[in-house]
Amino acid sequence: MGIDPPFGKGLVNVIVEHALHSGGADDIRTTFDIFREIFLVFLVIGTAVGVVVVAYMTYNAYKYRDGNGTADSGDVSRPELGELPSGSGGGKKLFVSFFFSAIIVVSLIGWTYGVLGYYEEGPTEAETDEALEIEVTGYQFGWQFTYPNGHTNSTLVVPQDRPIRLTVTSDDVFHTFGVPEQRVKTDAIPGQTTKTWFVANETGQFEARCYELCGSGHSYMTADVVVVRQSEFHDWYDNRSAAENETQADDDPDTETGTDTEGRLVGVPSVTTPNHATEPTTIEP
Amino acid sequence: MRKIKLYTIIYVVLFVFATVQVLVEFAGFDYWTGLVAILALSAVKAVLVAGYYQHLVHEPRSLTALMVGSLFVALVLTTAAAFSIM
Amino acid sequence: MTEDAHAENGHDGLPPQTAVKRWLVTTNHKDVGILYIVTSLFFLVFGGVLALLMRVELWTATQTVIAPGAYNETVSAHGLIMIFFFISPFAFGFANYVVPLQIGAEDLSFPRLNALSYWLYLFSGLLFGTSFFLGGTFSGGWTMYAPLNMPAYTPTVGGTTAVLALMLFVASVTVSSVNFLTTMHRQRAEGLTTLKLPLFSWTILLTVWMMLFAFAALLAALLILASDRIVGTVYFQATEGGSLLWAHLFWFFGHPEVYIVFFPALGIMAECFQTFCGRRIVGRKWFIAAMVLVAIQSFFVWMHHMFLTAISLEIKTLFMATTIGISLPFDLMVFALIYTMVKGKIRYTTPFLFSFGALVLFIIGGITGVFLGAVVLDYEFRGTYWVVAHFHYVMVGGATALFGGLYYWYPKITGRMYDEFLGKVHFVLYFVGFNLLYFPMFVAWETPRRVFEYHQSFVAWHQLASIGGFVLAAGFLVMFYNLYKSLFAGEEVDGNPWEYASSAEWSVSSPPPFENFPGLPSYGDGRLRFLTPGRGGEVADGGTATGDDALDAAADPATESDRPQSDGGTVTAEAARPEIARDETADTALPDAEAEEEHPDHASYWPLAIGLSAYVTFLGLSGIRMDTAMYPALTGVGLVMGAFSFVGLGRESFHVPEMAVAERWPFEGVENGKLGMWIFLASDVVLFGSLIGSYVFIRVAYGWTAWHVVPHDPIPGLINTYLLLTSSFTVVLALVAAKRESTRGLVASLGATVAFGVGFLYNKGIEWQELFHEGTTVGSSVEASTFFLTTGLHAAHVIIGLLIALFMIAQALKGAYLGEEGSRKVEYFGLYWHFVDIVWLFLFPLFYIL
Ligand code: HEM
Ligand SMILES: [Cu+2]
Ligand SMILES: [Cu+2]
């Protein structure tokens, strides 16, 4: 089986993308970049370690097989029935290997820890444009986005190249909000808020979805994420206000946005995911 | 008889401590001082009951270790969980 | 074969193994082990069918065969069944069968409790199965996150039934933990110090310790959940941290559970590597040290499952560090196993292949786990198939070794060899199927977990996985055929079919005789021997096998165990402790005539009866809020049956003498019953600790000082403190009276205890009544919920104590419990009662004053 399109996602994807994608023109380090880099290093080292260890195991299992002759040479003492359990020597080799593996693990994780602070906090104001703060609320089974001006929307419309800071919570059960293409994810917990951020380097339409089982509609709990150029975003945003919120239910504002700008990017009416098509079976206590 | 005497003394101490706990509450200390005092009294009472009524003092230390261990497990859960949201 | 012979002799008081009745009444650890193994394999099939159902649904990227709600039920039930009802009980089947043999015990310390564990397990599994028919089983995932686990979101009766089934399962686990810990700490053959335990026994010992504490935390979580679902408390729907509280409690259990599942597998790998490589393990002490470290540390890593929640960065950092810390000892264990092969004489038998395969799979699972330990990567992997692939590599990787164990001990258990060729076929199908099933999940990792609709681009990978699933399943058909066929057609084996096996289970016939050993096992002079305590100074014949003799004896069925032999060494060893040998051992280790009068019967119906009553009660409870009389009626019937069965169990004479000579570190000088009680109390400390911890957590989330204390004034609480303290004092007096052989004193003191206990409950009843009148009910606020549930569970402990006290009074009136020996039961009751008192000493200030 070759690497034809259906197989193009996943691991292969990461590696290919890493080779092709040299980061945006801008200098903000996005969560996407960080993830890609760390994942790649882990994959390479992890695979190498795995291959070496399993190969060594298999080699030994083969070399010391019964009847190979290797076993009978020398004066190896073998376990006997009824003896008190004890061990063989070889502690030194054990510790050397242990030592190396520990170094690999600790340094790998230590290295990622160095980025964790940045990953949590996001770029500082000085580094970038002012961040756009959006509140995200999960509900069975959809997402609602509230902008600083009070406008609420069921599609997440954001400007390109500007940090987006999300404050996430839930109206009912535990959900997890994630936009896989932007490598952003955080839990949506009733009564709690979590924060995360991302920067989209490219315009386009993406999908946000839920990553924690939340009921029968979990598989369908998606929302569109539309990244537009900053100027387009301003056009759109300046014409929104809290007053318009009533219409949010029928996804209208977004389709509108699309027609305002390049239809190819944002105009596509959101993928017809039956957001509310599946009602929870019964909610009678 | 000597034993019964000891048990009786402990009983009286427990009784008094329980009363003191309530008195502390009404004495009008600062809330956190009161909290520490009241919980400390409870801890002393618990140690007395475990030590003498359950005669842990006369048992091998391993049993005490077992109980301290399980208490520790519970405390780790309580404090770390509470700390995580502070 | 020997078993039947014994049965005809009426030796063990049990019907033969071919009779159904035997399996209902047996308390013998080997029988119970077999019951566990067979039952768990049934649940493997159950969970496996659900898994295949999911794989069929995942064949395409859109919803096809299973309705959305049903998919959630399937995924939840699959997870719960595999983890609770299959994998651990499977491992404990081996533990039941093998551990007493390995450590040199005749049986577990409390054989009837062992049977009880099994029946509670079986009925909890059946209850879980029943939940499917009560409007649908629980559908909130095996992690049961709050508040999806609340009836507002998962409203079916079956959902509640499933929760109660898990509670019943925890009861089974707790009983069996107490039993195993007492046994393993106090019934090891002379010379078999803790450090010298065979590695499988070591892993079980650590597993059981983890179980004791971890399952207590789970019990707290389930009690709260059941109360939220049935009684109407509002813990988990509380916006003040209710959701996070569940996550903390669940993962505090859940992470140790990972090792609980994995350790027995590790033990089997170690045994099989040693046996089939013909090498003792490299770095044995370090291997053990690493396991001890992991077992302890497993309680300090749970928040790595919560990296994306609202917990603070400091605590994330802390838990990231502990998580790396816990991964390191595993490196050492893996290398130790690998180096054990060096200079080996490796025979690729089925058990070895499975153990070797398990290690390969575990290495892959471990490496991909390091990815998850890096918080930044975990953020992305959370909730995706990366996690699904990873934990299947670890857990099903572990199960791989358990299947190896099934082949390894099959000849020991059945006396016949499995078919080696079919075994290898099973292995090939298993290993190929496994990797075909789970490896593609790493590639398609961006698929979200627990969905039936996913991105088109992953379809091919998921189809590969589904094919792998069916290949894996085909392997099991081969296995079942093999196991069944070999039962009749397999080659008969003697004691030890494996060259280089060294632990004690191989030194006796296959299957082992009813009392396991031909004499009292001892490693007193460095090798396993069976001592034969003589009567009146004469040296009795018996299987004294020393060193190579043991090997011969085992290798040659003709000379096995009934070969008369007198061994000089044995005689001296004998003479050194004639007293003990005569007074106590005679009836434990030795099948002689006198012993039979002491405990003629290894049969008891009561464990089964208790299991059944629990099933009926819990089934009733799960629908008690419905509008039918059926559920309350079931509850009532179950309770009556339960009371009857417990009294029956309590009145049955079932004397289990302690071993005459044994290694007992570190609990020398604490008799079995007392140790069992203390271990149980330790788990109860964690239970109440978790409940109090939940209160503290919610109160912190709420704002500590903004909290309203529910009772208006502390005086009723203070009065109750007085009452309970006094009742503790009277229990102390009861023990003194019992030791002085004063029935009157005993009955009077116990009577006073009951009176004070009833007073306590009465006072509490009045207090609650008043609160209800004012409109403060269990569900009116979190404050009220924590107050009613925590003190209510304490009251339940009081009620149980009172019932025991009443039972004891009835027995005492007939003259029981007197003297040094007899008073022990009074003492054990006292330990429990004082514990209940101590708990109140903390509940009182926390819920009434502060
Ligand atoms: C010892 C054996 C196994 C254990 C312990 C185990 C355990 C689990 C657990 C704990 C879950 C998570 C359930 C949840 O998310 O609530 C799960 C999910 C799953 N398992 Fe297994 N499993 C085992 C064998 C299998 C087998 C043989 C298959 C396939 C034939 C399989 C396929 C699946 C699938 C498809 C899921 C759903 C993943 C998801 O959507 O999150 N499992 N398993
Ligand atoms: Cu969801
Ligand atoms: Cu974990």
Side-chain angles (χ1 to χ4, degrees), chain C residues 472-497:
Chain C
L472 189 70
F476 281 100
L477 293 182
V478 176
M479 179 186 91
F480 283 118
Y481 173 70
N482 189 354
L483 298 185
Y484 179 75
K485 189 199 82 164
S486 307
L487 208 51
F488 306 102
E491 193 188 323
E492 286 203 25
V493 297
D494 51 41
N496 180 16

Side-chain angles (χ1 to χ4, degrees), chain C residues 790-811:
Chain C
T790 317
T791 59
L793 284 173
H794 175 264
H797 271 68
V798 172
I799 292 172
I800 292 172
L802 291 181
L803 292 176
I804 297 174
L806 285 174
F807 175 79
M808 293 184 81
I809 290 176
Q811 299 288 96

Side-chain angles (χ1 to χ4, degrees), chain C residues 251 254-256 258-259 301-302 304-305:
Chain C
W251 288 117
H255 197 88
V258 174
Y259 302 117
V301 298
W302 80 93
H304 66 209
H305 296 274

Side-chain angles (χ1 to χ4, degrees), chain C residues 13 72 80 116 146 218 243 267 271 328 371 535 547 642 688 712 718 785 787 796 842:
Chain C
N72 290 352
L80 290 169
L116 179 62
L218 178 65
S243 197
E271 297 282 329
L328 300 181
F371 284 56
R535 268 161 289 146
F688 270 108
H712 305 296
L718 182 62
S785 288
F787 170 76
F842 288 97

Side-chain angles (χ1 to χ4, degrees), chain C residues 199-520:
Chain C
L199 285 174
F200 178 67
S201 289
W202 249 112
T203 55
I204 294 298
L205 180 64
L206 291 171
T207 304
V208 183
W209 273 114
M210 287 189 281
M211 280 174 140
L212 184 76
F213 295 128
F215 276 86
L218 178 65
L219 183 57
L222 291 172
L223 278 170
I224 299 176
L225 178 56
S227 150
D228 273 10
R229 288 184 74 102
I230 298 171
V231 185
T233 49
V234 293
Y235 274 77
F236 293 135
Q237 65 213 43
T239 42
E240 299 85 8
S243 197
L244 279 185
L245 171 64
W246 173 267
H248 277 297
L249 288 175
F250 182 83
W251 288 117
F252 188 75
F253 148 78
H255 197 88
E257 171 68 5
V258 174
Y259 302 117
I260 289 170
V261 164
F262 190 71
F263 265 34
L266 193 64
I268 292 178
M269 281 188 234
E271 297 282 329
C272 287
F273 267 74
Q274 296 188 101
T275 297
F276 297 107
C277 298
R279 293 279 288 154
R280 300 180 189 94
I281 193 155
V282 169
R284 188 175 195 273
K285 282 203 182 103
W286 296 108
F287 192 87
I288 294 171
M291 289 196 300
V292 174
L293 204 65
V294 169
I296 295 174
Q297 223 178 324
S298 67
F299 289 93
F300 305 96
V301 298
W302 80 93
M303 276 186 241
H304 66 209
H305 296 274
M306 301 169 65
F307 280 152
L308 282 183
T309 64
I311 60 176
S312 60
L313 183 59
E314 299 87 61
I315 202 107
K316 280 185 202 171
T317 307
L318 185 66
F319 275 78
M320 186 178 107
T322 55
T323 301
I324 316 174
I326 206 166
S327 74
L328 300 181
F330 278 108
D331 296 3
L332 191 135
M333 294 184 230
V334 167
F335 286 122
L337 287 174
I338 294 178
Y339 290 137
T340 301
M341 293 192 292
V342 172
K343 296 201 195 136
K345 190 174 166 195
I346 304 176
R347 284 133 303 140
Y348 305 142
T349 57
T350 307
F352 178 75
L353 290 176
F354 272 94
S355 300
F356 185 87
L359 189 56
V360 172
L361 300 176
F362 180 65
I363 289 170
I364 300 177
I367 290 176
T368 54
V370 173
F371 284 56
L372 293 168
V375 181
V376 176
L377 294 185
D378 180 67
Y379 283 171
E380 275 320 303
F381 289 141
R382 245 305 299 282
T384 68
Y385 261 72
W386 186 276
V387 177
V388 177
H390 158 70
F391 72 64
H392 280 98
Y393 263 92
V394 174
M395 278 193 296
V396 192
T400 309
L402 298 183
F403 294 119
L406 187 57
Y407 287 106
Y408 184 54
W409 283 305
Y410 185 84
K412 174 56 54 190
I413 295 173
T414 63
R416 287 176 188 271
M417 196 47 128
Y418 60 85
D419 183 315
E420 188 62 59
F421 173 73
L422 290 179
K424 292 206 166 88
V425 171
H426 177 203
F427 175 72
V428 170
L429 287 173
Y430 185 98
F431 198 73
V432 171
F434 184 107
N435 286 293
L436 211 53
L437 168 59
Y438 298 119
F439 201 82
M441 295 185 188
F442 282 125
V443 185
W445 71 267
E446 286 191 79
T447 318
R449 219 178 133 172
R450 297 157 166 173
V451 297
F452 40 83
E453 290 245 349
Y454 54 88
H455 200 281
Q456 274 296 335
S457 56
F458 302 129
V459 168
W461 295 112
H462 281 289
Q463 292 189 342
L464 263 188
S466 295
I467 294 171
F470 280 92
V471 174
L472 189 70
F476 281 100
L477 293 182
V478 176
M479 179 186 91
F480 283 118
Y481 173 70
N482 189 354
L483 298 185
Y484 179 75
K485 189 199 82 164
S486 307
L487 208 51
F488 306 102
E491 193 188 323
E492 286 203 25
V493 297
D494 51 41
N496 180 16
W498 309 122
E499 196 182 359
Y500 305 137
S502 62
S503 44
E505 76 268 29
W506 303 109
S507 67
V508 291
S509 61
S510 304
F514 191 80
E515 2 356 61
N516 289 348
F517 303 106
L520 182 66

Side-chain angles (χ1 to χ4, degrees), chain A residues 136-158:
Chain A
V136 182
T137 309
Y139 58 90
Q140 281 181 324
F141 297 97
W143 299 99
Q144 191 181 58
F145 306 98
T146 308
Y147 287 80
N149 66 1
H151 175 63
T152 61
N153 213 12
S154 61
T155 297
L156 179 60
V157 181
V158 297

Side-chain angles (χ1 to χ4, degrees), chain C residues 103-159:
Chain C
I103 68 175
E106 188 190 355
D107 203 326
L108 291 178
S109 300
F110 312 110
R112 283 187 310 171
L113 289 189
N114 194 28
L116 179 62
S117 299
Y118 169 73
W119 292 110
L120 290 177
Y121 156 56
L122 177 74
F123 281 108
S124 68
L126 292 180
L127 191 60
F128 191 86
T130 313
S131 71
F132 281 84
F133 304 100
L134 301 173
T137 187
F138 185 74
S139 60
W142 91 279
T143 48
M144 301 180 275
Y145 266 21
L148 184 61
N149 57 11
M150 291 290 94
Y153 303 106
T154 44
T156 62
V157 170

